[in-house]
Amino acid sequence: MSWIEHSYMGRKGVARGRRGATHELTEAVQGEYRYVYGPYAAPVLRIRPGDVVVAETHDAFEGKIRSESDSPSALLKMPFLNPQNGPIAVEGAEKGDALAVHILSILPRGPQPVGTTALIPEFGGLVATGTTAMLNKPLPERVKKMVVTPEGGVVFSDRVTLPYEPFIGTLGVSPEIEAVSSLQPDYWGGNMDLPDVAPGAVVYFPVHHKEAFLYLGDCHGRQGDGELCGVAVEIPAYATVQVDLIKGWSIPGVRLETEEFIMSVGSARPMEDAARIAYRDLIRWLVDDYGYEESEAYFLCTQAGKMRVGNMVDPKYTLGALLLKSWIG
């Protein structure tokens, strides 16, 4: 018996975890990729709860960086980064519901070396940026290309090969009226760069717009906590997700569930505010759905909670607060 049957999606979803039709969201079907999350673009696909989508995603640079001799500043044009597949309209989704996205698989696509990372001027966790302005000069630009395969891992160098641990860097739904950059994370999801948004996980989003309007892209072959230089192992991918709908589950922001743990996600600056958002929601989740009294949930998170740093480089930082299910009781 799969743990999905006991997940929120499996117990409360319209489809109860049962798979419906499969839709191929190819580059041809997508057409123009999106750099904004919002309600104003026409859907490229309409699906029903339980349906599966196989999306052909671009990397964060839309394939513009092809070799280690390329200059990111010459080829990339801000803010046109993080191209997104979508929007995908989900039948029956309304404000006050929650969208459940079960990530089934992420596979690299395209010619090798398919992985790209880079040093980009005024971008990263240990350099001066446009919002943290300093007089020192930017680090020299550099591009690193890597062979990435599920079987062989990420060939970082002749000395080091890292495990293939893929995830979707940018995933979310449309805000109610805002049109926001795909570089920004917040309550709708977006550019969270959270490594737990990985195959096997179910990610829950609050629905704010009719039919939800799901977006996804920016897949990574792997990434360390914090995405320190600002760029993970960026890959174009075949991202396969199953989408379900939970009626009447009004959540304030992004939640995530795996077989082992539940997680609440916060995005904000400064970083401690992102942590507060995440932990506050985790405590309220324990109160609302697990029968805890608030102070007892506070104690439990203090003694057993864990914090995951998604990114410390985007316009807002993303942190995830989690508890192991075995410790919730």
Side-chain angles (χ1 to χ4, degrees):
M1 180 181 295
S2 169
W3 77 271
I4 290 295
E5 296 181 33
H6 302 287
S7 68
Y8 273 76
M9 184 181 79
R11 290 184 289 110
K12 299 183 177 183
V14 171
R16 297 290 195 274
R18 295 185 297 272
R19 295 190 187 183
T22 296
H23 306 264
E24 303 285 339
L25 184 48
T26 63
E27 288 191 42
V29 173
Q30 175 64 41
E32 180 183 358
Y33 283 69
R34 300 295 176 181
Y35 293 93
V36 168
Y37 276 43
Y40 303 112
V44 295
L45 193 64
R46 292 187 180 275
I47 65 174
R48 303 179 67 182
D51 284 0
V52 173
V53 177
V54 183
E56 293 184 351
T57 69
H58 280 303
D59 69 13
F61 311 121
E62 204 164 349
K64 292 184 175 72
I65 298 178
R66 294 184 172 87
S67 75
E68 293 188 344
S69 62
D70 284 343
S71 165
S73 62
L75 293 171
L76 305 178
K77 182 181 178 182
M78 289 289 290
F80 297 97
L81 297 172
N82 274 16
Q84 298 293 293
N85 293 77
I88 301 168
V90 182
E91 180 182 299
E94 300 174 302
K95 186 175 181 179
D97 298 337
L99 200 70
V101 181
H102 183 199
I103 303 169
L104 301 178
S105 68
I106 301 169
L107 298 173
R109 71 183 185 97
Q112 296 286 358
V114 75
T116 306
T117 195
L119 298 181
I120 298 173
E122 293 196 330
F123 186 57
L126 296 180
V127 299
T129 69
T131 53
T132 307
M134 297 182 182
L135 289 174
N136 58 287
K137 293 181 180 180
L139 291 174
E141 291 186 84
R142 183 183 173 190
V143 172
K144 186 177 183 64
K145 301 289 287 187
M146 292 157 282
V147 172
V148 179
T149 62
E151 303 80 12
V154 176
V155 183
F156 181 80
S157 68
D158 292 341
R159 298 176 59 187
V160 177
T161 296
L162 301 169
Y164 179 65
E165 296 178 348
F167 68 98
I168 301 176
T170 309
L171 177 68
V173 296
S174 172
E176 188 169 11
I177 63 171
E178 301 101 314
V180 294
S181 169
S182 60
L183 294 170
Q184 174 120 316
D186 210 309
Y187 60 87
W188 59 82
N191 191 29
M192 299 177 290
D193 291 321
L194 188 66
D196 300 287
V197 182
V202 182
V203 192
Y204 302 103
F205 301 95
V207 174
H208 290 276
H209 179 268
K210 184 179 180 181
E211 297 186 312
F213 279 27
L214 174 68
Y215 295 82
L216 73 156
D218 180 36
C219 290
H220 298 166
R222 67 168 296 112
Q223 175 201 293
D225 287 3
E227 197 181 24
L228 187 58
C229 82
V231 183
V233 180
E234 312 288 340
I235 61 170
Y238 298 102
T240 303
V241 300
Q242 182 186 13
V243 182
D244 207 344
L245 180 66
I246 301 176
K247 299 295 294 182
W249 193 33
S250 182
I251 56 177
V254 182
R255 293 176 175 177
L256 184 146
E257 181 180 14
T258 72
E259 186 173 6
E260 290 81 24
F261 62 81
I262 61 171
M263 172 186 285
S264 291
V265 181
S267 296
R269 282 200 186 196
M271 188 175 287
E272 57 264 32
D273 281 354
R276 290 183 180 117
I277 290 168
Y279 265 129
R280 182 181 67 175
D281 184 58
L282 185 60
I283 288 168
R284 290 178 174 171
W285 194 355
L286 291 172
V287 171
D288 292 341
D289 293 328
Y290 290 90
Y292 275 78
E293 187 271 328
E294 186 178 77
S295 63
E296 191 73 4
Y298 194 8
F299 283 147
L300 181 61
C301 287
T302 300
Q303 310 308 333
K306 296 180 181 293
M307 180 62 68
R308 188 72 182 267
V309 182
N311 85 78
M312 50 180 282
V313 294
D314 289 334
K316 294 184 179 180
Y317 303 147
T318 296
L319 280 77
L322 70 90
L323 269 176
L324 296 176
K325 290 179 176 177
S326 60
W327 291 351
I328 294 173

